[in-house]
Amino acid sequence: MDEEKKIEEQTEDVSGEVTEEPETVNFTEQIAELEEKLKKAEAELDKSFGKMKDINTMYVRLQADFDNYKKRTAEQLKNARGEGIADAMMKVIPIADVIGNALKMITDEKVAEGVNMINRQLNDTLAAFGVEELQALGKPFDPALHNAILRVPAEKPEMSGCVIEVFQKGYRMGDKILRHSVVKVAE
């Protein structure tokens, strides 16, 4: 039966050749279907690019947060180390005072020479940690650096407001004042 239909569909050409009648194809339907599939694929692609962009943004933010965390942690570690050194130096500074007072009282030259060597070593150690003495004598009084316990009339007008005697040396480490100088100020 199939064969009969085939035969009916065949026509004879003028030249006597037998040909099959071409099937009619509806291209507009196929194009519409393909366009619909293309739109869906483009929408999926846009959605995927959006997700990828969001993930990339999250990655960049996470990387920046991590970099900031490392910087903040390094800064905290540096500050903690500096605070630890400052605390230790504040315990050592009174020893420097005692050695300084001892040097004023020692009369034997050989003993004074030995204590002086110890004093130099101590001062070198303080300097190695960035501790320096606050220069106060003859300088203008600064309440941020000095602690005035006496005010006396100035012998010379140009000395008014200046430190004329230091009772206890002051020290700083970088910008941090470890101990204020205890001074007498002329008025």
Side-chain angles (χ1 to χ4, degrees):
M1 193 151 193
D2 275 341
E3 199 139 327
E4 287 176 22
K5 279 186 181 178
K6 235 181 182 180
I7 294 174
E8 289 174 8
E9 289 177 358
Q10 294 178 344
T11 57
E12 207 171 289
D13 208 36
V14 179
S15 63
E17 291 181 17
V18 178
T19 60
E20 285 188 20
E21 191 175 291
E23 287 184 33
T24 57
V25 179
N26 191 349
F27 287 118
T28 56
E29 286 180 16
Q30 286 182 350
I31 290 173
E33 284 177 27
L34 290 173
E35 285 177 344
E36 186 63 32
K37 286 181 180 179
L38 180 63
K39 285 181 184 176
K40 286 181 182 177
E42 285 175 342
E44 291 254 339
L45 186 61
D46 286 346
K47 191 187 255 186
S48 295
F49 277 136
K51 285 180 182 177
M52 187 176 74
K53 191 175 181 181
D54 290 346
I55 289 171
N56 188 42
T57 301
M58 286 177 10
Y59 169 75
V60 169
R61 285 185 182 163
L62 185 61
Q63 185 65 41
D65 286 347
F66 182 67
D67 289 343
N68 289 337
Y69 167 77
K70 285 189 334 187
K71 289 176 187 173
R72 192 171 45 252
T73 302
E75 184 66 27
Q76 288 172 344
L77 182 61
K78 179 182 170 190
N79 289 341
R81 183 176 186 273
E83 289 295 320
I85 291 171
D87 287 346
M89 292 300 108
M90 288 174 65
K91 303 282 188 215
V92 172
I93 288 171
I95 297 169
D97 291 340
V98 170
I99 291 173
N101 290 338
L103 281 171
K104 291 176 189 173
M105 300 167 82
I106 295 174
T107 55
D108 185 354
E109 277 188 43
K110 290 198 185 251
V111 173
E113 186 179 326
V115 173
N116 212 1
M117 288 172 57
I118 294 169
N119 191 40
R120 275 195 304 274
Q121 267 188 317
L122 180 62
N123 288 333
D124 290 346
T125 301
L126 289 172
F129 284 101
V131 177
E132 57 188 36
E133 182 183 332
L134 294 174
Q135 298 301 317
L137 192 60
K139 305 282 184 192
F141 174 74
D142 182 352
L145 304 175
H146 310 126
N147 183 12
I149 59 169
L150 275 173
R151 290 192 181 268
V152 295
E155 292 176 8
K156 300 177 186 173
E158 62 269 5
M159 291 302 293
S160 181
C162 290
V163 174
I164 57 171
E165 188 176 346
V166 177
F167 297 113
Q168 188 178 47
K169 294 178 183 179
Y171 294 89
R172 83 166 70 212
M173 188 172 91
D175 292 337
K176 182 179 174 118
I177 303 298
L178 299 178
R179 184 172 78 184
H180 293 79
S181 300
V182 178
V183 297
K184 181 192 307 185
V185 180
E187 288 186 338

